[in-house]
Amino acid sequence: MARPTAEIAEAALALGAAGRLREADALLGAFVRVRTAEEAAALARRDPQWFAPRLLQAAGELSATHRRDLVHALRVAGIAAA
């Protein structure tokens, strides 16, 4: 998770394109655990419709607080939260 946000986004998209959604979701789950909600929202800007639901799912699996913080960060970033 020390990689730049853009690299994480590219890796997740590549995994998704290869049909490896479980791995992509695991990567995003790890990202949400160690990065801020604002960083997750920045990652979601790459492809909001693909990333936002997955990031929200991962955040919700951690806690309601993580999910709420991410919903707020997405809203501030101009990304509609599902």
Side-chain angles (χ1 to χ4, degrees):
M1 287 301 101
R3 297 274 187 208
T5 300
E7 284 185 33
I8 301 294
E10 289 299 320
L13 286 171
L15 287 167
R20 300 181 69 180
L21 293 176
R22 183 185 298 175
E23 291 87 348
D25 290 340
L27 177 61
L28 296 175
F31 185 87
V32 168
R33 276 193 302 280
V34 300
R35 300 286 187 99
T36 67
E38 291 76 17
E39 288 172 306
L43 185 147
R45 283 190 191 110
R46 178 75 169 82
D47 185 343
Q49 291 186 347
W50 194 84
F51 280 113
R54 287 178 163 77
L55 291 167
L56 286 167
Q57 176 69 31
E61 290 172 3
L62 292 175
S63 71
T65 301
H66 274 87
R67 189 177 195 293
R68 185 184 65 237
D69 291 347
L70 181 55
V71 167
H72 175 73
L74 290 168
R75 194 172 297 133
V76 169
I79 299 169

